[in-house]
Amino acid sequence: QVQLAESGGGLVQTGGSLRLSCVASGRTFSTYVMGWFRQAPGKEREFVGVIGWTGSTSYADSVKGRFTISRDNAKNTVYLQMNGLKPEDTAVYYCGAARSYYVIPRNYDYWGQGTQVTVSS
C-alpha cells in the first residue's frame, strides 16, 4: 500500500511558477513510476508527465519545455516544477504511482488527493 500526498498548489499570475510536491509513504517508493496528471472542471483527468525509476521523463506536448518532473528517492518525493504558467494550466493536479511507464490514468495503482493550481490572466 502506498499513500500519496500532494502540496504546493495555489494562485499564481500568468507567467509565474509553482513547484508541486508529492510525498509517498512506504519503503517501496523507488520501485514505482510516478506520474503527474491534472483535471479541470468538467474535463477528464489528463496526463502531464511521468518519471521512471532511473529518472527518465516524458511530458505532454502542452507542458513540454515549461514543466519539469524530478524525484528524490531518499525523501520519497516527486516534484513538478511548473514555469511559464498559463490560465489553461488551471486544474487540480494529482500524482499517481504505477508499476510501469503509463500515461493513462486507469493504469495507476495509487493516487493522492490533489492540489489546486489556479492561474489568473
Side-chain angles (χ1 to χ4, degrees), residues 21-110:
S21 300
C22 172
V23 179
S25 66
R27 292 176 288 181
T28 60
F29 173 77
S30 62
T31 68
Y32 282 90
V33 172
M34 299 300 296
W36 282 99
F37 292 76
R38 65 188 182 187
Q39 189 165 16
K43 295 187 176 181
E44 294 186 350
R45 191 168 298 191
E46 67 171 359
F47 171 74
V48 172
V50 61
I51 186 166
W53 310 278
T54 60
S56 60
T57 55
S58 181
Y59 299 94
D61 287 344
S62 59
V63 306
K64 201 171 295 183
R66 300 188 297 124
F67 291 11
T68 303
I69 297 175
S70 60
R71 68 189 297 163
D72 185 338
N73 289 336
K75 295 182 178 180
N76 279 14
T77 303
V78 61
Y79 303 98
L80 178 64
Q81 177 66 44
M82 306 186 293
N83 299 327
L85 283 161
K86 305 174 182 180
E88 52 263 44
D89 294 318
T90 295
V92 177
Y93 283 70
Y94 298 89
C95 67
R99 286 299 190 182
S100 293
Y101 211 80
Y102 296 123
V103 299
I104 300 174
R106 67 171 181 266
N107 289 332
Y108 279 71
D109 300 313
Y110 303 102

Side-chain angles (χ1 to χ4, degrees), residues 105-119:
R106 67 171 181 266
N107 289 332
Y108 279 71
D109 300 313
Y110 303 102
W111 291 98
Q113 82 290 348
T115 185
Q116 175 71 46
V117 171
T118 303
V119 184

